[in-house]
Amino acid sequence: MLNYIIKRFIYMIPTLLLISLVVFIVIQLPPGDWLTAYVASLRESGDEIDPITVELLRERYGFNQPFFTKYLNWISGVLQGDFGYSFGWRKPVGELIWDRLGLTLVVSVSTLLFTWIVSFAIGLYSATHQYSFGDYLATFLGFIGLATPNFMLALILMYLAYKYFGLSVSGLFSIQYAMAPWSWAKFVDLLKHLWIPIIVIGTAGTASLIRVLRANLLDELGKPYVVTARAKGLSYLRLLFKYPVRIALIPFVSTVGWTFAGLISGSVITGIVLNLPTTGPMLLQALKTQDMYLAGSFLLFLSIITVIGTLVSDLLLAIIDPRIRYE
Amino acid sequence: METNPEIVFPEKQNPLESEIYLASQWELIWRRFKRHKLAIAGLVILIIIYTMAIFCGFFSPYSPYLYNADYINAPPQTLQFFDQDGFHFRPFVYGYEVSRDPETFRMEYQIDHSKKYPVYFLVRGDRYKLLGIWETDLHLFGVKEGHIFLLGADPMGRDLLSRVLYGARISTSIGFIGVFLSFVLGIGFGGISGLYGGAIDNLIQRMIEFIKSIPSIPLWMGLAAALPQDWTVIQVYFAITIILSLKGWTGLAREVRSKFMSLREEDFILSARLIGASKTRIITQHMIPSFLSHIIAQVTLAIPGMILGETSLSFLGLGIRPPAISWGSLLQAAQNVRTVALTPWLLLPGVFVIITVLAFNFLGDGLRDAADPYGK
């Protein structure tokens, strides 16, 4: 087991390096740089800026250096905890991202738990009550959940909450807590706001997990060992939880890496629509204004979170399924 | 099937059964597919949607770019058959009574029962080019006086129904082209991976895992934000398609690889090899036909992801840009809850997205079940 864990950790290093390279290529792709975008926005509002000043600034920020020099500068900075400078916010990136990444992680992990609990309960019910009304209802809702884009669901929920309860459900905190330091009251306030993004982000993942669990459990329930165990007098519930459910749960764990990637992905777009203080809105803004170090740090960390998620899922799988450990 | 009862051959005693033994693989797939009611419904819905998208100029009552300052944010009208005189065979719509709110200066619309606009079929209206070739002004339906907004109007007074129909062209075709690219990449990489195995296989598998581990929407956003502002609609369209298929091919490649690997061990492949068939022949004549149906099902299930991806990107303002119309760029008008509360019909393009994606999911499910007709 220890060998396996070490192997997985060593394997992570080239993956992370490759990710950092891809992220840097992506943020370098737009033609021009932050200054071009900045000058253009100044010109739109009627201001002019001296071209010599622009060149001087470009020199100072190092926009003229060749690609690999810039990459090496950036990545060696990142390794020492210096993520560069956000031109748009005029602050070091390190000061801007942690709160938002933290909240993104909170939202994503709670969504994952929600997804698991709900899909386990519904999937179990659907498989044990095949072709019942509840099964059809779950399948139907699952299909709708898969087909509805995240942002649309967010808009609809916001609209319903506004129309029928007069609530404004955007954001993660009420106004009086938004800037306040962490306290118990702020935490409770967070919980009150958290359920909408959780439902919005979690629906698609829940729907697909329900289908997977239902199909797997039905396969298992049809196997001869179930009949044997019943014939020998094992009670149905005990049998169900002792064998078929355990096997049918494997996809929950084995796909957690991808489910998690999907949740991170969904949290970005939902964050933008619901105006959450997560990575989404700031990432979009940074991408649009070519604030490259800010955008790059977000892309890098979102990918790292996903890679760690995949790692955790692999380790969990090795614990559950001994065949993987010994391979 | 009719058989002559007098001449019964011993081996043909059960005509239905012998027919099944004689039927080709595709006939069997079609038979199985027909039993899947939801899949048939999905297929029919998709045919309707694609027909309307292809002939969008004919089906939409107006040009999607026609501004009308008198009908800013006009609510949807409903087709009526009854008025105070009773039933009318020809449907009609009621006109609006427009007033301005003295405080907010918003236009307010009330149904005006005195204005009745009968709906005619095959009427002449705005000029457009059918299939981009023949110029004509014939529309499926329209009114001769007044206006008809079955789905309401947008903040510039343009007819939402026409815009949705024109938007369908981009939104529904982007899935097809994207999936075609994924298909080519998937078969190529998956095939190489499954055929050669070893180091190449390992490399490709690691590459796939790597691509899968990058969260898609942030990656798409990063790439889409990099598209130059001065690109034409066509350039942006193809760039978005390529961006969307960057991740899409990975799932297909895995599927193709596992099929190749399991087929390699099959007896019929072994016997083909023993007879001396060339590698190309084995692949094209024996392997591909035996898993093509699976791949088609997979491809169908991959299209919805592309459609949803395009919608999300355009909604964020990173995808298809105005003046080009797609369902996502139409939904951009419904960015915040205030707009949605005042003009909920601006969310209607999203309903078309949901219906299309649902139909593809049903169709794909049916195809997947039918793909292996020799199974249970």
Side-chain angles (χ1 to χ4, degrees), chain B residues 168-332:
Chain B
R169 282 193 306 192
I170 287 184
S171 293
T172 55
S173 65
I174 225 163
F176 258 111
I177 299 184
V179 144
F180 177 72
L181 278 178
S182 309
F183 180 75
V184 173
L185 285 172
I187 292 239
F189 279 106
I192 292 170
S193 201
L195 262 185
Y196 294 102
I200 300 177
D201 175 39
N202 212 345
L203 186 73
I204 292 177
Q205 289 312 304
R206 293 293 89 76
M207 193 166 86
I208 290 176
E209 273 168 26
F210 172 70
I211 294 175
K212 277 199 146 195
S213 74
I214 303 179
S216 51
I217 287 188
L219 177 73
W220 287 342
M221 280 167 68
L223 289 172
L227 303 181
Q229 286 296 324
D230 51 358
W231 274 18
T232 62
V233 172
I234 303 281
Q235 279 173 315
V236 171
Y237 174 84
F238 280 107
I240 295 282
T241 323
I242 292 171
I243 290 174
L244 290 178
S245 42
L246 268 183
K247 267 196 98 163
W249 67 272
T250 52
L252 267 180
R254 288 206 153 174
E255 192 82 3
V256 172
R257 171 178 175 267
S258 72
K259 286 284 165 210
F260 261 98
M261 295 217 154
S262 62
L263 280 174
R264 262 199 321 204
E265 316 296 325
E266 290 282 338
D267 290 344
F268 72 96
I269 301 290
L270 183 69
S271 53
R273 206 163 359 164
L274 289 178
I275 293 169
S278 70
K279 215 165 192 171
T280 335
R281 191 180 159 80
I282 292 180
I283 293 174
T284 54
Q285 299 293 312
H286 298 289
M287 289 177 115
I288 290 187
S290 65
F291 68 73
L292 193 61
S293 52
H294 285 272
I295 299 302
I296 292 173
Q298 284 293 322
V299 160
T300 317
L301 288 169
I303 294 178
M306 304 251 163
I307 295 179
L308 290 177
E310 183 275 326
T311 313
S312 306
L313 278 182
S314 304
F315 174 76
L316 293 178
L318 295 171
I320 303 295
R321 303 168 187 152
I325 310 168
S326 79
W327 289 340
S329 69
L330 288 177
L331 281 169
Q332 240 191 309

Side-chain angles (χ1 to χ4, degrees), chain B residues 98-148:
Chain B
V98 188
S99 59
R100 255 184 206 282
D101 188 308
E103 268 175 44
T104 59
F105 293 108
R106 276 182 50 82
M107 309 260 266
E108 292 195 340
Y109 296 89
Q110 234 73 66
I111 291 177
D112 183 350
H113 288 276
S114 63
K115 289 186 205 155
K116 267 173 50 184
Y117 305 128
V119 177
Y120 293 91
F121 289 94
L122 299 177
V123 291
R124 307 262 161 201
D126 299 321
R127 297 198 74 78
Y128 65 93
K129 278 188 171 173
L130 193 67
L131 294 173
I133 306 167
W134 298 289
E135 198 169 320
T136 170
D137 58 359
L138 197 66
H139 294 263
L140 176 68
F141 69 97
V143 287
K144 289 185 176 161
E145 44 168 348
H147 261 87
I148 178 163

Side-chain angles (χ1 to χ4, degrees), chain A residues 63-111:
Chain A
F63 288 152
N64 288 339
Q65 288 163 347
F67 176 83
F68 264 100
T69 324
K70 276 192 282 189
Y71 171 69
L72 286 179
N73 279 340
W74 180 65
I75 196 69
S76 57
V78 166
L79 289 176
Q80 293 160 26
D82 171 17
F83 300 100
Y85 187 76
S86 160
F87 312 115
W89 293 77
R90 300 186 189 278
K91 270 184 187 172
V93 170
E95 286 180 23
L96 293 165
I97 55 174
W98 296 120
D99 280 356
R100 288 178 177 259
L101 280 172
L103 283 174
T104 303
L105 205 59
V106 168
V107 172
S108 309
V109 171
S110 21
T111 311

Side-chain angles (χ1 to χ4, degrees), chain B residues 2-32:
Chain B
E2 266 185 66
T3 43
N4 196 335
E6 260 119 271
I7 321 163
V8 177
F9 294 100
E11 71 270 25
K12 268 204 168 180
Q13 263 167 3
N14 187 342
L16 201 75
E17 207 165 281
S18 67
E19 217 181 285
I20 286 177
Y21 287 128
L22 291 175
S24 74
Q25 185 194 3
W26 294 103
E27 269 175 56
L28 290 175
I29 290 179
W30 173 239
R31 275 182 198 201
R32 270 208 159 201

Side-chain angles (χ1 to χ4, degrees), chain A:
Chain A
M1 186 68 189
L2 194 66
N3 264 343
Y4 180 77
I5 296 178
I6 293 171
K7 228 167 69 188
R8 283 296 282 111
F9 265 100
I10 292 174
Y11 170 59
M12 246 176 77
I13 296 170
T15 315
L16 289 178
L17 279 178
L18 204 57
I19 283 184
S20 73
L21 188 62
V22 169
V23 163
F24 200 73
I25 293 174
V26 168
I27 57 176
Q28 283 285 307
L29 270 182
D33 47 42
W34 180 77
L35 278 173
T36 358
Y38 180 60
V39 170
S41 76
L42 274 183
R43 199 162 289 154
E44 254 173 39
S45 57
D47 264 343
E48 274 301 331
I49 186 165
D50 183 15
I52 300 168
T53 322
V54 174
E55 270 322 298
L56 279 176
L57 280 173
R58 187 159 281 156
E59 195 69 36
R60 209 179 112 205
Y61 288 143
F63 288 152
N64 288 339
Q65 288 163 347
F67 176 83
F68 264 100
T69 324
K70 276 192 282 189
Y71 171 69
L72 286 179
N73 279 340
W74 180 65
I75 196 69
S76 57
V78 166
L79 289 176
Q80 293 160 26
D82 171 17
F83 300 100
Y85 187 76
S86 160
F87 312 115
W89 293 77
R90 300 186 189 278
K91 270 184 187 172
V93 170
E95 286 180 23
L96 293 165
I97 55 174
W98 296 120
D99 280 356
R100 288 178 177 259
L101 280 172
L103 283 174
T104 303
L105 205 59
V106 168
V107 172
S108 309
V109 171
S110 21
T111 311
L112 184 66
L113 294 180
F114 165 85
T115 308
W116 272 357
I117 295 169
V118 173
S119 53
F120 178 70
I122 299 181
L124 193 65
Y125 179 86
S126 271
T128 47
H129 299 73
Q130 201 187 3
Y131 303 132
S132 67
F133 173 74
D135 180 28
Y136 280 120
L137 186 72
T139 311
F140 175 74
L141 287 181
F143 267 120
I144 301 272
L146 273 180
T148 315
N150 269 333
F151 65 88
M152 181 114 178
L153 196 60
L155 282 171
I156 293 172
L157 273 182
M158 274 162 84
Y159 172 60
L160 293 180
Y162 171 84
K163 191 166 178 205
Y164 293 105
F165 304 107
L167 287 173
S168 149
V169 292
S170 60
L172 274 182
F173 302 105
S174 309
I175 301 162
Q176 66 265 37
Y177 293 113
M179 288 294 163
W182 278 100
S183 63
W184 179 250
K186 185 175 178 175
F187 179 68
V188 174
D189 187 56
L190 173 68
L191 289 187
K192 275 188 202 154
H193 284 80
L194 204 54
W195 64 275
I196 287 231
I198 285 182
I199 292 179
V200 170
I201 303 167
T203 308
T206 310
S208 61
L209 269 184
I210 289 176
R211 290 178 66 185
V212 172
L213 182 66
R214 180 178 179 274
N216 279 345
L217 201 52
L218 280 176
D219 273 357
E220 285 302 316
L221 287 176
K223 285 192 175 162
Y225 75 83
V226 175
V227 183
T228 314
R230 284 292 282 156
K232 288 192 160 201
L234 198 61
S235 87
Y236 184 67
L237 271 185
R238 205 155 153 223
L239 162 72
L240 184 69
F241 281 96
K242 202 151 176 171
Y243 306 106
V245 166
R246 266 169 66 187
I247 295 174
L249 271 183
I250 288 180
F252 269 57
V253 180
S254 65
T255 59
V256 72
W258 298 337
T259 316
F260 203 65
L263 294 181
I264 294 275
S265 214
S267 81
V268 168
I269 193 161
T270 311
I272 294 167
V273 179
L274 290 176
N275 200 13
L276 306 180
T278 54
T279 44
M282 207 187 240
L283 172 65
L284 181 67
Q285 178 69 17
L287 283 172
K288 280 185 169 167
T289 55
Q290 295 194 25
D291 197 345
M292 57 181 248
Y293 292 120
L294 184 58
S297 305
F298 275 135
L299 288 178
L300 183 66
F301 275 102
L302 290 178
S303 311
I304 290 179
I305 293 175
T306 322
V307 171
I308 293 177
T310 318
L311 175 75
V312 171
S313 91
D314 281 356
L315 295 184
L316 281 179
L317 200 62
I319 294 171
I320 291 187
D321 193 345
R323 286 171 296 187
I324 290 172
R325 228 175 307 167
Y326 296 118
E327 209 175 77

